[in-house]
Amino acid sequence: MNLSSPRWLRTLTRLRDALVPEALGLGWMPVLLLGYLLFLFMPVLVPSDSNWGDHLPWRLWPTLLSIVVFLPMYFLAYRGSAMTRVLCTSGIAALGCGLMAYNAFSNTYIIYSAAFVALLPGTLWTRLVALAALLGTYYGLSVWLGFPVFVPVLTAIISVAVFTGNYFQSETVRKRAELKLSHEEVRRLAALAERERIGRDLHDLLGHTLSLVALKSDLAGRLIERDPQAARTEIVEVSRVARDALAQVRRAVTGIRAAGLAAELASAKLLLESDGVTLRYDAQEVVVPPDLETVLALALREAVTNIQRHARATLAEVSLASTDEHVRLRIRDNGVGSAAVPGNGLSGMRERVESRGGRLRIDSTLRQGTCVEIVLPLPLPSREGSDAPVASSEGIVGAT
């Protein structure tokens, strides 16, 4: 909660978080759902002398007492363990059945219980059996108490609808959590593979070279008194070998740093398509120095994260192109668009781009999607054919 919010609102928020864990991401919804308790007082609207009124019992004090018993079980079902949820769901169901003799609209508790049945541990069939047992028990008691037939029928329809909605919502949350773990595992394995590659490359580059430096240094030490000229030659050779090794290490590090954009594209494909967003990628072969590669990779990461979190898009397109003077990265989506003030992520992206002399343009129109375009000037050495790495679509063909 923002510290600028009113004190009473911060207090209410802390109370809400004490009742329903913030980690569930449900916000105020569990509290708002308590509004359905008003249906317990619906019998007062039915005339007692009507055909239905004679068969719809209602007593105030048992109803109020049931609410006092219900509320702790309701919030424990959100906070407790799996076994606690089972016990609370059973308790709410028993409360609904026990109140039937005093309140015909105690089916409100049956519907609450059906909603929690969808969240119980076990397979779908286990939950369906529990739901059937719940509704069957309620139907039998309704017939025994002489309730009009519309009461158990309406209760069953609403309970099944609530059960279905909660079940599919819980499955969606579970699958998103699994996809997030999968995404993080892919990143971890990619980082591990990269570390192993770096180790192999450094071993191949430096193992032989350092052995040669050590041998020539020992030889120069033995020759320095007997043959100074030969010793000087060996020392010059050691210097040359060392400079060659340094150049090789620099090229290796450049290659490692240049992998950023390709890795971000692969990660973007996994992140977006796991959320139902198709990613299309189109790129020319572009010569990009390592520092610009990093800027483009971080910009792509931020833009893709915003698409996944906020855009509600079904399609995203990434294009990379260059001229002799600049390189252009464009990320476009067909989402809802927004006129919101840019957050820290976009501000950081703009600062990184502008620090390299580039420009960032964001076109976002409500219901027409968003387009992020980054243009970076290419330094003179890159235009004259330096050893800068090439960022291409090789290895990312599967993302198109």
Side-chain angles (χ1 to χ4, degrees), residues 42 62 87 114 141 166 253 281 326 336 375:
M42 286 294 292
L87 294 176
L141 290 174
N166 273 17
V253 172
Y281 175 60
H326 62 260
V336 296
V375 179

Side-chain angles (χ1 to χ4, degrees), residues 338-361:
S338 174
V341 177
N344 293 333
L346 291 178
S347 299
M349 184 195 304
R350 186 179 299 278
E351 290 173 2
R352 284 191 295 270
V353 170
E354 292 179 352
S355 69
R356 298 302 193 280
R359 67 178 184 272
L360 171 68
R361 183 172 63 88

Side-chain angles (χ1 to χ4, degrees), residues 120-184:
L120 294 180
T123 64
L124 173 60
W125 287 110
T126 302
R127 302 176 204 184
L128 288 174
V129 169
L131 179 65
L134 172 66
L135 296 179
T137 301
Y138 180 77
Y139 177 78
L141 290 174
S142 298
V143 172
W144 181 59
L145 292 172
F147 283 7
V149 69
F150 81 90
V151 175
V153 170
L154 184 61
T155 302
I157 293 174
I158 298 176
S159 297
V160 170
V162 169
F163 173 91
T164 303
N166 273 17
Y167 173 77
F168 282 110
Q169 182 182 15
S170 67
E171 285 297 294
T172 300
V173 171
R174 181 183 63 81
K175 289 178 180 178
R176 284 184 177 177
E178 290 177 353
L179 287 172
K180 182 179 179 181
L181 290 176
S182 175
H183 183 65
E184 292 174 351

Side-chain angles (χ1 to χ4, degrees), residues 21 75-89 119-121:
F75 288 111
L76 273 176
Y78 285 107
R79 296 197 64 88
S81 62
M83 181 54 65
T84 301
R85 186 177 295 117
V86 171
L87 294 176
C88 290
T89 302
L119 307 178
L120 294 180

Side-chain angles (χ1 to χ4, degrees), residues 180 271-272 275 302-312:
K180 182 179 179 181
L271 178 65
L272 292 179
D275 206 40
E302 180 63 31
V304 167
T305 300
N306 286 338
I307 292 173
Q308 189 268 335
R309 290 180 178 176
H310 308 298
R312 287 183 283 175

